[in-house]
Amino acid sequence: MINRFLIYNLFFSFIFSVFFYGKINGQPVPSLEENIDFLVTFSRDASATWGDDDHIQIHFLAIPKDYKGNVFISIFDPDIGGKYDQLNGSKFDSFTKFSLYGGEGAYSNEDARNINPKGNYNSGIQLGSKKFGVSTIYDDQWFTFGPINPKEGEFDKALNAYVFKIIAEGLKGNDGNMYRYYISSSDLEFNPIEGMNCFTYEMSFRLKNIKNTVAHFYPFLDSNIIAIKQHNYDYDSEGQIRLTTVIKKSHQMSRSGDGNWATSTHEITPDEQNTTIDIQIISSGKFPNDMVFYLTNQYGKFVPFYSVPIGGVPKYRYKVDIIYAF
Amino acid sequence: MFNFSVKSHKNNYCSFLIIIFLASIFSSPVRAQQYDFNYFESEVFPQKYIYDITRDSQGLLYFATENGLVKFDGLLFESVTKNEGLAENLVNKIYIDTDNNIWIGHYQKGISLITKNKIKKTFTGNIKNTRITSFVEDDKHNILVSTDYNGVFLVDTNLNVTQIYNDNSYKINALFTLENKLLIGTSNGLIVVNKFNEAESADAIHHFFNDTNIISFINDTIRNNLWVITANNGINKCNIISNNIDFNNYQSFVTNLQLSSACIGPDNNIWLGSKGKGLFTVYIKENQLDKLIHYGIQNGLKIKYVKSLFFDLENNLWIGSYGNGISQYLHQEYSLFGKNYFNSEIEITAIATSNNNVYAATKSLIYFIDSTLTVKKIPVQIKNKITSLYIHDNTLWIGTIKGVFKLTQNLKINKIDFFQNDYINSIKGNEKDKLYFATNNGLVIYNNNKFVRKTTNEGMLHNSIKALLPESKSKLWVGTMQSPLFLVKNGQFSNSYPIQNINDIYINDLVKDSFGNIWLATYGYGIFKLGKNSSQQFTTENGLPSNYCYAIYIDKNNKVWSGYQSGISYKKQKDENFNSLQYDQQFLSSKINLQTIKGTKNGNIFFGTEKGLIIYQPNKIKNIETDLKPEIISLKVNSNPINLSISTTLSYSKNYIFSIDFRVINFTNQKSILYKYRLKNYENLWHLANYNERSVNYSGLKPGTYTFQLLASNNNEFDNHNLAYYTFTIKPPLWKTNWFIISLITLITFILILIIRIREKNLATNQIRLEEQLKIRTNELLIHKNLIELKNQELTDSIQYAQKIQDAILHKNRISDFFPNSFIYFKPRDIVSGDFYWAAQIDNEIIIAAVDCTGHGVPGALMSIIGLTFLNEIIKIQKITDPKTILTLLDKKTIEILSFKGERLSKDGMDIALINYNMKTKKLIFSGANSPMVLIRDNKINRIKGTLLGIGDSFIKKFNNNELNILKGDKIYIYSDGYKDQFGFIADKKLKNSGFMKILIKASTHKMNEQGHFLSEEFIKWRGKNEQTDDVLVIGIEF
């Protein structure tokens, strides 16, 4: 049965995607692969049940060491108000601050990689900061930090990249700010920075409001991980949360309800070590749903997930040989 | 834009201009001026992020980059990084204090301090993990440092660090001090801390400019203002009154710009760098914004994000970008209007000027450029290629390759039929009423609305008229392609002027200077300057790039500008030769078109080139120091650097290699620099080196003091006042040092003295010994002497006794017994004599002999006894009286007695002169054995020789007799050779026969008994102080 509403939404999503992604070769965060339209940060007076447990969102941008050009970090619709943001109350009255950090400690500091914003999470050298309140200036527009010298990031040997940290912090108010990032090498057009990746340890996001659309998270499991524990918050039991790896297909993960956490632990076999796994969160499409997700390993350490899956999207390896006869 | 306060006749120009302007604003868009920026290739300067720029007192530039501190002297970039000791490679801020120490603020690792080219110290501590954003020096030479979010620190002269302000609410971007006030520019306004340098009473009391992001301060000492530069609220001018800044009343400008950097230019205008929009210059006049110039991609600046701005000592602007490296804005006085402005047709073929406005023509289009250099295209198009333009009487006259057009006030183009298809080379007019057209078909004069053509038919020298120079109302100088320069007066040919005997000069352009000299640009002969009574030619030997000159112009300073295929050349009034423009801007080498150098009243000069219009704006010339200061930057001895602040003395070595690096800090035209150097005391000649030959090596230097001397020039003239030099000394080897030599000499002297003393001592000892020996010997000698004397006395006594015997014998032979008139001069040499005389009478025959026995003294005396004895035996006993027989027997007996068994025991003998006088017959018979007889008769002397051999010679000989009759008065002399063999004292030779004869003749004049005495006196006189040579015997007889 043809669902007109679905078609309508698909069509506009397509248009939306084309508008935002078609001509855009930049690197959006969240990425196309993640299939998440917006990151969300609620101002600190908002209840956590709105889908943001801590009113802070931290993302890391890894710029390859060999990259010599400029870095521009654009924020789509950073101000409060407009058609995307979540009104809480009778009118918009909130503020969000976006801050960019580089330098030593921006990434390597333990507090920065904690999902809870405490301690020295804003470590490093602040390269820029901008507070947005209620305005229409940036509705459907971008605010850009840059140009940024890649060497102002913190060099991480393991990543072989200069890492920047961007913190979105809800300040006064209770509205929800919907936004996304774009990383580009140019201020005039969105040119991708080859080899660049973005990762976070906890994401507050809005699921696409289309039934059965799948949001993905792509954590990379190193060789030390033998088990993972997923944590999701305020999923409202919408649909399914599944795990797919190279040897697991659509394993079910626990789902949270409204304003609570759900966790589930999953064993990781050697075959799955050093691979990217795919955690899929299916939307029911009933209402705009904001939620939080993060992942820990067997030691309780936070596992980052990447906008660009390392090694690509995992492909489940069937155990039975399939021969296609044409 | 337009000057309305002009003289009446120029109001017409203005009206014309207004119409043109109004018409053109609806036509093509206004094109702005292009600017020329110099960019550095990434191979030369790879750094892309320039956070800060400054310079030291010498003018050396310093760039703060993501890859360390980079120094630049105009030619070479030199990096100082972590490898050399910096705390971090990323440098965010640089400051050079009054002691020339370099403070380097890092991104996260604090501060590095460079003192005397060495990294002295790095500061971390509180300053670490926070970005250094600003440095400032207070009047006590403390350095104040601001950090991002960690407050402000004070580093005192002992390098102790204290925090004087601590508030991390806002980001701190800039600091400024005024006496005891500290101004802190933050991301949320200005904080003023009073008495900041008095720790106990420092307090932050005021906040100003809330909600503005202050990025820097500029102290405008000319206007006595402080400019507060903000990122989001423009630039704000605050007055400084008595060292107090009025922050309550300020003026804001350009508040719409997003700024990132600012500085004040040499022209006292504010230069602003923006985030994303390039560069701006703000001109403030009487507290009003007079002008804002934008430099962006549209007019030459490729940099959008300007991070830092700085003017060097030569007033070039350096633009540090964020992501696009460094750019230099130099030679603002030259700029090009090129293709971004003229679209498809960019070659400028004609220019005309009117006051401060310019008309420039491309092939078919005409542009109007006003005094602000804003360009508008005039909405007309000419079919034929435009060759000349001229404004006259509200009309723009347009000369083309086929005729003349007029552009009137209502923008109507009219072709002038008179010209038909004439090729127009030039259009000129005088101030009043005449226009002149130089065509290929003669000279056309326009006067009183009439055109009149003058060709060779009307007396012109040539029909192809190239250049014109109206001199007065009626005079016109005319240059053609093949004739001398000539003058047209009142429309008629007047005079021609061959130039330096060249009759067919191809004249491209004519102009006159303020002294009345006419300047010609010629095709193939360079440039001529014609005075009233003189002419001067300038060719490539005088600096012209070519002898083919297409355009010439003289500005109000009498500077001559000329155009060639290879660009522009100029000559200042005081210069002897021309100079080519030698800047890096390539467009300055563009081909200059015919007669396309023109100037406006404000001093701007316009050049029509194949690449567009070049504009020279002298008001943009910077007051730069033209002195080039050469600098010796390092001297290494075997790769070890030497401290150049003091002279160096090196110990002796033959193996030193000296490497000397030098430079001139110059950012305007490094490539024109020439160096001249030498090492004095090693070489006399100067070496020349190009701009990029900045090092020299010397090796094999002998001990001595050397001075490396260096000069630099950018116009082939070296100014000795700017001599850089360094002196060093190589010590001589030990054995050549003064002290060594002196010591050696002293030692040698000492040794010599010692030797001498020892010798003297030895000599003295020897002397004493010798003296003793001498004494002994002397005593011995005395004894021997006494003995000898005794013996001698005995001998002498014997000899004297023998003399007595001889005298006794001789006494018996007195000749005077036989001849009363006679004498015997007998003088023995010694005590006894070898000479003797003998006389005897036998019957009537008297026999007299003068005998000279060999030898004298005792041996001669003994022989004389033998002779006497034999003569007695032969004559007295054997009664033989014949002289020759006597001699024969005497000879025989002498030989016998001196031989033994046939062997001669002695070779002695005697010479004898023997006479026999017969008293009865009066005949005299003479026979001589090696002894003559002299007869003087009637005062005539006759010498009769005897036999040459003497008695006793071993040869068999035969003696002969010489007979002669004796007359009365005859005088005969017989003698031995003693008298004649005597050496004279004065003459120092023997008397000889000749001398003796003379004396005899003289003697013969005396009485016979006086002649002996006479002969004695003469002998003594002749002999003088000489010793007597031999025994002397002379017998004289007068008959």
Side-chain angles (χ1 to χ4, degrees):
Chain A
M1 182 178 175
I2 297 170
N3 188 329
R4 284 186 188 174
F5 183 71
L6 175 65
I7 291 170
Y8 179 79
N9 275 303
L10 282 170
F11 174 73
F12 279 100
S13 295
F14 174 73
I15 297 296
F16 181 86
S17 301
V18 166
F19 176 74
F20 281 107
Y21 306 129
K23 287 186 179 179
I24 296 167
N25 291 322
Q27 282 148 309
V29 177
S31 63
L32 291 175
E33 286 82 4
E34 288 172 312
N35 201 24
I36 294 169
D37 283 341
F38 289 104
L39 301 168
V40 61
T41 299
F42 276 82
S43 292
R44 59 173 178 254
D45 298 328
S47 165
T49 58
W50 279 95
D52 183 357
D53 65 322
D54 53 19
H55 315 290
I56 282 187
Q57 180 123 246
I58 298 176
H59 277 79
F60 296 95
L61 315 172
I63 309 296
K65 180 189 169 195
D66 296 333
Y67 175 68
K68 302 290 182 209
N70 283 330
V71 177
F72 292 89
I73 301 169
S74 298
I75 308 169
F76 177 71
D77 203 324
D79 55 5
I80 305 292
K83 60 190 176 198
Y84 303 113
D85 294 332
Q86 180 63 54
L87 175 66
N88 194 353
S90 57
K91 60 176 183 175
F92 286 107
D93 59 2
S94 303
F95 293 88
T96 307
K97 185 169 83 170
F98 292 89
S99 304
L100 179 67
Y101 294 85
E104 214 172 273
Y107 166 61
S108 57
N109 192 299
E110 287 278 348
D111 290 344
R113 287 181 280 146
N114 197 316
I115 58 162
N116 294 314
K118 58 184 181 184
N120 200 17
Y121 65 92
N122 55 356
S123 55
I125 301 293
Q126 191 186 89
L127 300 174
S129 180
K130 178 81 178 168
K131 189 167 88 172
F132 296 91
V134 180
S135 97
T136 57
I137 295 171
Y138 291 99
D139 286 357
D140 274 318
Q141 300 296 326
W142 304 277
F143 169 81
T144 301
F145 286 114
I148 299 159
N149 181 356
K151 287 190 179 168
E152 290 182 27
E154 179 180 12
F155 181 69
D156 184 80
K157 251 188 185 172
L159 294 171
N160 198 33
Y162 290 93
V163 183
F164 293 87
K165 176 171 67 189
I166 182 160
I167 299 178
E169 194 171 353
L171 303 174
K172 191 181 77 168
N174 58 5
D175 304 305
N177 194 344
M178 304 292 149
Y179 56 91
R180 56 190 310 113
Y181 301 122
Y182 288 90
I183 318 302
S184 173
S185 61
S186 166
D187 58 339
L188 293 175
E189 55 185 2
F190 289 115
N191 282 334
I193 296 173
E194 291 179 354
M196 183 240 127
N197 211 335
C198 180
F199 58 94
T200 182
Y201 292 88
E202 180 190 68
M203 193 186 291
S204 302
F205 62 99
R206 171 162 287 189
L207 280 170
K208 275 191 178 175
N209 196 15
I210 301 168
K211 189 178 177 183
N212 294 331
T213 55
V214 182
H216 298 266
F217 292 107
Y218 295 108
F220 181 80
L221 307 183
D222 64 32
S223 55
N224 294 321
I225 295 178
I226 58 172
I228 54 169
K229 184 176 180 181
Q230 61 91 12
H231 309 252
N232 63 86
Y233 176 79
D234 197 34
Y235 177 53
D236 295 338
S237 301
E238 269 208 43
Q240 296 178 60
I241 299 178
R242 305 189 297 227
L243 169 67
T244 294
T245 73
V246 290
I247 60 168
K248 290 184 180 66
K249 186 165 174 57
S250 301
H251 283 210
Q252 294 296 315
M253 288 179 148
S254 300
R255 305 169 300 167
S256 60
D258 180 22
N260 58 36
W261 286 95
T263 63
S264 57
T265 303
H266 306 266
E267 186 191 351
I268 297 300
T269 66
D271 286 334
E272 291 164 319
Q273 287 173 342
N274 290 319
T275 67
T276 289
I277 63 172
D278 180 8
I279 296 171
Q280 300 160 356
I281 302 176
I282 297 55
S283 171
S284 67
K286 292 177 187 168
F287 42 83
N289 191 359
D290 302 319
M291 63 177 292
V292 178
F293 183 86
Y294 69 92
L295 197 69
T296 55
N297 66 10
Q298 69 274 15
Y299 301 115
K301 282 197 113 169
F302 304 108
V303 179
F305 33 96
Y306 296 85
S307 291
V308 179
I310 296 173
V313 173
K315 285 190 170 44
Y316 173 70
R317 293 185 222 137
Y318 287 92
K319 290 194 174 73
V320 177
D321 285 337
I322 298 174
I323 300 167
Y324 294 90
F326 291 98
Chain B
M1 211 182 278
F2 299 102
N3 184 5
F4 292 100
S5 57
V6 296
K7 292 180 185 173
S8 59
H9 71 273
K10 290 194 171 61
N11 279 335
N12 290 329
Y13 290 125
C14 293
S15 310
F16 181 71
L17 294 175
I18 290 168
I19 291 164
I20 296 290
F21 170 66
L22 288 173
S24 65
I25 58 171
F26 296 108
S27 57
S28 65
V30 169
R31 303 289 173 127
Q33 181 182 352
Q34 289 292 303
Y35 300 94
D36 193 41
F37 292 88
N38 191 23
Y39 300 94
F40 293 84
E41 300 289 331
S42 58
E43 291 84 22
V44 174
F45 190 83
Q47 289 81 354
K48 290 192 170 187
Y49 297 87
I50 316 301
Y51 294 88
D52 197 10
I53 310 171
T54 190
R55 64 162 176 85
D56 62 18
S57 55
Q58 292 173 295
L60 196 66
L61 285 181
Y62 293 81
F63 301 102
T65 78
E66 80 272 23
N67 234 354
L69 179 72
V70 178
K71 295 189 276 190
F72 184 50
D73 60 11
L75 184 67
L76 292 177
F77 292 95
E78 186 190 333
S79 294
V80 181
T81 65
K82 229 174 141 180
N83 291 341
E84 285 77 36
L86 285 190
E88 188 182 1
N89 277 340
L90 213 157
V91 177
N92 198 53
K93 208 74 185 163
I94 328 167
Y95 181 75
I96 299 179
D97 65 23
T98 47
D99 294 324
N100 241 17
N101 300 312
I102 304 170
W103 296 81
I104 300 159
H106 292 289
Y107 180 58
Q108 207 171 6
K109 295 286 201 292
I111 298 170
S112 298
L113 173 63
I114 295 180
T115 300
K116 290 176 185 171
N117 285 327
K118 285 187 183 160
I119 294 175
K120 185 172 179 174
K121 192 174 174 173
T122 56
F123 300 86
T124 51
N126 285 348
I127 306 179
K128 200 177 168 183
N129 289 326
T130 180
R131 188 164 40 177
I132 306 299
T133 54
S134 179
F135 290 98
V136 78
E137 187 173 354
D138 67 12
D139 51 11
K140 291 178 186 167
H141 301 296
N142 300 313
I143 302 296
L144 293 122
V145 185
S146 68
T147 65
D148 261 11
Y149 287 96
N150 218 13
V152 179
F153 296 82
L154 184 141
V155 184
D156 65 22
T157 51
N158 294 320
L159 303 181
N160 298 315
V161 182
T162 49
Q163 189 165 32
I164 60 168
Y165 179 78
N166 186 7
D167 183 351
N168 59 3
S169 309
Y170 306 110
K171 182 169 177 288
I172 300 174
N173 294 315
L175 296 176
F176 184 78
T177 60
L178 186 67
E179 289 202 341
N180 63 352
K181 290 187 190 51
L182 172 65
L183 276 60
I184 304 173
T186 78
S187 56
N188 191 26
L190 173 67
I191 296 164
V192 177
V193 181
N194 283 324
K195 298 179 188 174
F196 71 94
N197 44 10
E198 297 167 33
E200 290 173 3
S201 48
D203 55 329
I205 51 167
H206 289 297
H207 289 250
F208 302 96
F209 296 97
N210 289 334
D211 294 325
T212 56
N213 186 2
I214 297 174
I215 57 171
S216 69
F217 299 99
I218 294 178
N219 189 9
D220 185 350
T221 52
I222 301 294
R223 302 183 186 93
N224 218 24
N225 296 329
L226 177 72
W227 291 90
V228 179
I229 314 296
T230 74
N232 54 350
N233 202 31
I235 62 175
N236 304 278
K237 182 167 78 80
C238 306
N239 293 322
I240 301 176
I241 304 165
S242 302
N243 286 327
N244 284 311
I245 307 171
D246 185 0
F247 291 116
N248 292 313
N249 299 301
Y250 59 87
Q251 268 180 291
S252 298
F253 301 91
V254 295
T255 55
N256 56 326
L257 298 179
Q258 294 286 316
L259 302 175
S260 56
S261 52
C263 70
I264 194 161
D267 47 6
N268 295 314
N269 297 313
I270 312 290
W271 292 75
L272 303 170
S274 75
K275 286 183 72 170
K277 299 274 188 218
L279 188 65
F280 293 87
T281 310
V282 178
Y283 292 78
I284 306 288
K285 196 175 174 182
E286 291 168 359
N287 293 324
Q288 300 292 326
L289 175 65
D290 185 41
K291 196 161 61 173
L292 178 71
I293 298 180
H294 178 214
Y295 307 83
I297 290 174
Q298 73 283 1
N299 55 5
L301 177 64
K302 296 177 194 169
I303 291 173
K304 293 195 325 184
Y305 293 90
V306 178
K307 186 73 179 160
S308 47
L309 292 172
F310 190 78
F311 278 92
D312 62 30
L313 275 180
E314 294 155 38
N315 293 335
N316 300 306
L317 175 65
W318 292 85
I319 304 156
S321 75
Y322 210 71
N324 285 102
I326 193 92
S327 178
Q328 181 190 17
Y329 183 35
L330 75 170
H331 303 304
Q332 299 160 37
E333 67 265 28
Y334 291 98
S335 50
L336 174 71
F337 280 39
K339 60 183 174 187
N340 284 343
Y341 161 74
F342 290 114
N343 292 329
S344 54
E345 282 182 12
I346 61 169
E347 184 174 8
I348 302 299
T349 55
I351 300 175
T353 60
S354 154
N355 286 334
N356 290 323
N357 304 312
V358 177
Y359 296 84
T362 61
K363 283 182 187 168
S364 60
L365 301 171
I366 301 173
Y367 294 82
F368 170 76
I369 304 154
D370 65 17
S371 59
T372 64
L373 301 180
T374 304
V375 179
K376 301 173 190 77
K377 189 169 85 175
I378 293 174
V380 294
Q381 188 157 8
I382 308 294
K383 281 184 200 173
N384 307 319
K385 181 183 169 186
I386 300 170
T387 55
S388 51
L389 294 174
Y390 192 77
I391 293 184
H392 180 79
D393 196 23
N394 299 331
T395 303
L396 178 65
W397 293 82
I398 305 163
T400 73
I401 57 172
K402 284 186 182 176
V404 173
F405 296 81
K406 276 194 326 184
L407 179 66
T408 58
Q409 282 180 339
N410 52 2
L411 292 181
K412 203 174 169 191
I413 283 277
N414 294 328
K415 186 165 192 239
I416 310 298
D417 293 331
F418 178 87
F419 291 95
Q420 296 196 7
N421 289 326
D422 283 332
Y423 193 114
I424 311 299
N425 292 306
S426 179
I427 307 173
K428 292 278 171 72
N430 60 20
E431 289 188 14
K432 294 289 180 183
D433 48 3
K434 282 196 186 122
L435 265 185
Y436 301 97
F437 296 82
T439 81
N440 277 3
N441 195 19
L443 171 70
V444 175
I445 304 172
Y446 177 67
N447 190 15
N448 295 326
N449 292 320
K450 282 184 190 167
F451 293 95
V452 174
R453 191 184 294 273
K454 303 282 185 183
T455 64
T456 49
N457 292 336
E458 286 79 28
M460 295 292 125
L461 283 189
H462 204 282
N463 284 332
S464 184
I465 313 293
K466 295 291 283 186
L468 302 169
L469 176 64
E471 188 162 284
S472 67
K473 195 175 170 182
S474 58
K475 277 189 197 171
L476 173 72
W477 292 97
V478 178
T480 71
M481 62 182 289
Q482 207 172 8
S483 78
L485 180 71
F486 64 90
L487 186 66
V488 170
K489 264 188 194 174
N490 295 317
Q492 302 297 328
F493 168 76
S494 172
N495 281 318
S496 68
Y497 298 89
I499 298 152
Q500 293 189 1
N501 296 322
I502 305 168
N503 277 324
D504 57 347
I505 287 195
Y506 192 137
I507 299 171
N508 275 332
D509 200 359
L510 285 167
V511 74
K512 196 169 188 178
D513 64 22
S514 62
F515 301 107
N517 300 308
I518 296 175
W519 293 75
L520 286 69
T522 74
Y523 188 79
Y525 290 99
I527 291 174
F528 288 92
K529 172 186 165 189
L530 305 181
K532 275 189 183 165
N533 300 312
S534 64
S535 68
Q536 188 177 359
Q537 186 181 13
F538 298 90
T539 64
T540 50
E541 291 178 11
N542 306 104
L544 297 192
S546 164
N547 288 332
Y548 297 85
C549 180
Y550 295 90
I552 192 162
Y553 172 76
I554 297 178
D555 65 19
K556 58 187 178 184
N557 297 318
N558 278 316
K559 186 171 173 181
V560 182
W561 298 83
S562 54
Y564 307 83
Q565 280 198 350
S566 58
I568 301 164
S569 182
Y570 66 91
K571 186 183 94 67
K572 292 183 193 168
Q573 188 185 339
K574 63 178 175 63
D575 290 344
E576 282 184 16
N577 291 321
F578 277 77
N579 300 291
S580 294
L581 286 180
Q582 286 189 19
Y583 296 134
D584 294 332
Q585 294 147 299
Q586 287 187 347
F587 65 78
L588 290 173
S589 306
S590 305
K591 178 173 86 102
I592 307 298
N593 284 324
L594 189 66
Q595 297 181 13
T596 54
I597 306 179
K598 297 286 190 296
T600 52
K601 272 198 164 179
N602 55 11
N604 292 342
I605 300 175
F606 297 80
F607 303 84
T609 82
E610 58 181 352
K611 289 185 184 166
L613 188 68
I614 293 175
I615 303 168
Y616 169 71
Q617 297 168 272
N619 63 340
K620 289 201 168 182
I621 291 174
K622 300 152 276 204
N623 291 324
I624 58 172
E625 289 181 31
T626 54
D627 277 356
L628 292 180
K629 291 191 174 67
E631 182 193 350
I632 299 167
I633 49 176
S634 76
L635 188 146
K636 290 182 187 162
V637 183
N638 296 345
S639 302
N640 296 317
I642 291 234
N643 182 0
L644 292 175
S645 58
I646 50 174
S647 293
T648 296
T649 300
L650 302 163
S651 53
Y652 173 72
S653 169
K654 284 185 188 174
N655 299 322
Y656 286 129
I657 297 174
F658 295 88
S659 303
I660 304 173
D661 292 322
F662 48 85
R663 70 177 173 206
V664 162
I665 298 174
N666 180 272
F667 303 103
T668 306
N669 200 2
Q670 192 58 234
K671 288 180 182 173
S672 71
I673 290 171
L674 272 178
Y675 295 97
K676 197 164 86 164
Y677 64 86
R678 70 174 175 184
L679 186 65
K680 207 169 168 195
N681 205 26
Y682 173 72
E683 57 199 351
N684 287 327
L685 288 177
W686 289 86
H687 300 272
L688 283 178
N690 287 328
Y691 72 96
N692 55 355
E693 299 168 337
R694 307 200 306 181
S695 65
V696 62
N697 290 335
Y698 291 97
S699 60
L701 296 181
K702 293 179 184 167
T705 297
Y706 299 92
T707 301
F708 182 76
Q709 296 176 319
L710 175 70
L711 289 168
S713 157
N714 62 355
N715 58 2
N716 289 325
E717 290 174 14
F718 291 90
D719 182 1
N720 291 333
H721 293 111
N722 283 332
L723 178 74
Y725 63 93
Y726 183 75
T727 301
F728 60 91
T729 302
I730 301 174
K731 282 190 202 173
L734 182 68
W735 58 89
K736 284 189 183 176
T737 54
N738 287 339
W739 71 265
F740 182 83
I741 291 170
I742 290 169
S743 302
L744 192 65
I745 291 172
T746 306
L747 183 66
I748 291 171
T749 305
F750 177 72
I751 291 170
L752 280 173
I753 290 171
L754 195 63
I755 290 170
I756 290 168
R757 289 271 168 90
I758 292 170
R759 267 187 66 118
E760 280 177 355
K761 192 177 172 193
N762 287 340
L763 280 171
T765 309
N766 269 344
Q767 179 79 2
I768 293 167
R769 183 175 58 80
L770 284 172
E771 278 176 357
E772 283 175 4
Q773 278 189 351
L774 185 66
K775 256 189 198 168
I776 296 168
R777 291 288 162 82
T778 304
N779 288 336
E780 287 177 0
L781 278 172
L782 273 173
I783 296 168
H784 287 124
K785 179 194 166 208
N786 290 335
L787 281 171
I788 288 167
E789 279 180 350
L790 189 65
K791 291 284 180 202
N792 189 44
Q793 187 60 46
E794 287 175 359
L795 275 170
T796 301
D797 290 343
S798 293
I799 292 170
Q800 281 175 344
Y801 194 77
Q803 184 196 23
K804 284 181 181 169
I805 297 171
Q806 190 180 47
D807 283 346
I809 295 171
L810 287 177
H811 185 69
K812 289 183 179 162
N813 295 299
R814 289 177 300 177
I815 294 169
S816 62
D817 290 342
F818 305 103
F819 295 99
N821 288 332
S822 65
F823 69 90
I824 298 175
Y825 176 53
F826 177 62
K827 189 170 175 36
R829 181 179 182 271
D830 299 311
I831 298 171
V832 291
S833 172
D835 288 358
F836 69 92
Y837 51 87
W838 191 90
Q841 184 176 1
I842 307 296
D843 296 331
N844 295 319
E845 293 168 282
I846 299 171
I847 299 157
I848 297 172
V851 185
D852 180 2
C853 295
T854 56
H856 45 75
V858 171
L862 287 172
M863 277 303 300
S864 70
I865 298 299
I866 293 172
L868 273 164
T869 306
F870 287 148
L871 283 175
N872 285 336
E873 185 183 328
I874 294 167
I875 300 172
K876 285 183 178 177
I877 297 174
Q878 291 180 3
K879 306 291 184 193
I880 295 169
T881 60
D882 178 46
K884 72 175 180 190
T885 306
I886 294 170
L887 293 184
T888 304
L889 285 173
L890 181 61
D891 184 49
K892 184 179 172 191
K893 284 179 178 296
T894 302
I895 291 171
E896 278 174 7
I897 201 161
L898 294 177
S899 302
F900 178 70
K901 290 184 179 177
E903 188 180 339
R904 279 288 293 270
L905 298 177
S906 166
K907 293 215 175 135
D908 290 299
M910 58 197 83
D911 297 333
I912 181 168
L914 191 138
I915 61 171
N916 177 334
Y917 178 68
N918 192 319
M919 289 190 294
K920 201 174 193 178
T921 62
K922 308 284 187 217
K923 282 196 174 154
L924 186 139
I925 302 170
F926 162 73
S927 181
N930 196 31
S931 195
M933 181 190 83
V934 170
L935 168 68
I936 297 177
R937 176 184 289 171
D938 296 331
N939 295 319
K940 290 181 186 167
I941 193 163
N942 184 17
R943 186 164 168 267
I944 303 162
K945 292 183 186 177
T947 308
L948 286 176
L949 295 168
I951 301 295
D953 288 345
S954 54
F955 295 101
I956 297 172
K957 55 192 89 71
K958 192 178 174 185
F959 298 100
N960 48 13
N961 285 332
N962 295 282
E963 276 188 32
L964 38 99
N965 294 321
I966 296 298
L967 298 177
K968 189 176 172 65
D970 284 347
K971 301 178 180 100
I972 63 123
Y973 299 90
I974 56 174
Y975 47 87
S976 66
D977 58 6
Y979 202 106
K980 73 174 180 61
D981 284 347
Q982 179 59 49
F983 276 93
F985 178 69
I986 294 170
D988 198 28
K989 63 178 181 182
K990 287 183 180 179
L991 185 61
K992 291 189 182 172
N993 278 324
S994 57
F996 182 52
M997 291 302 115
K998 285 178 187 169
I999 292 172
L1000 273 185
I1001 285 178
K1002 276 188 195 171
S1004 68
T1005 58
H1006 295 274
K1007 290 180 181 174
M1008 192 52 76
N1009 57 2
E1010 290 174 358
Q1011 290 185 18
H1013 180 70
F1014 179 81
L1015 285 174
S1016 174
E1017 283 182 349
E1018 289 299 308
F1019 183 80
I1020 290 167
K1021 210 193 293 183
W1022 170 258
R1023 192 193 74 186
K1025 290 181 183 177
N1026 286 341
E1027 287 199 359
Q1028 187 171 328
T1029 309
D1030 195 2
D1031 299 324
V1032 176
L1033 173 62
V1034 181
I1035 301 172
I1037 301 171
E1038 183 178 0
F1039 293 92

